[in-house]
Amino acid sequence: MKDLKLLFTPIRIAAMEVKNRIVMSPMIPNLGSAQGYVTPAEIQFLRRPRRGGVGLIITGDVIIDAKARYQNRSLLI
């Protein structure tokens, strides 16, 4: 466990300080509504790793044009 000590130390990325170096990579859980809105299931999906101690969560894709939507439950802006 001594070898992992650095993993649990804070790190600064530009103006943002992250509490540790554990990062969740982007994922597309397809938990948005049929209209592309954030749902309670999407929020819960992102809360779990945060509660587990993940320092930085990189969210999956968010579609900016409905014509480019390629999955039924992806999020739209």
Side-chain angles (χ1 to χ4, degrees):
M1 200 65 167
K2 279 184 173 182
D3 296 338
L4 299 177
K5 187 175 182 180
L6 186 62
L7 185 62
F8 299 100
T9 61
I11 188 169
R12 181 165 292 282
I13 303 171
M16 176 179 63
E17 182 166 320
V18 180
K19 74 175 188 172
N20 61 48
R21 297 158 192 246
I22 300 171
V23 177
M24 182 175 122
S25 62
M27 292 183 236
I28 306 167
N30 286 322
L31 296 172
S33 71
Q35 297 78 27
Y37 297 113
V38 174
T39 62
E42 178 88 21
I43 293 168
Q44 187 64 23
F45 173 79
L46 293 171
R47 279 187 179 158
R48 282 188 196 127
R50 183 70 183 141
R51 287 184 182 143
V54 171
L56 178 65
I57 298 172
I58 302 172
T59 60
D61 66 346
V62 177
I63 309 301
I64 59 171
D65 185 339
K67 292 180 277 187
R69 196 173 189 192
Y70 60 94
Q71 294 179 345
N72 292 338
R73 301 238 175 233
S74 57
L75 301 178
L76 293 167
I77 291 181

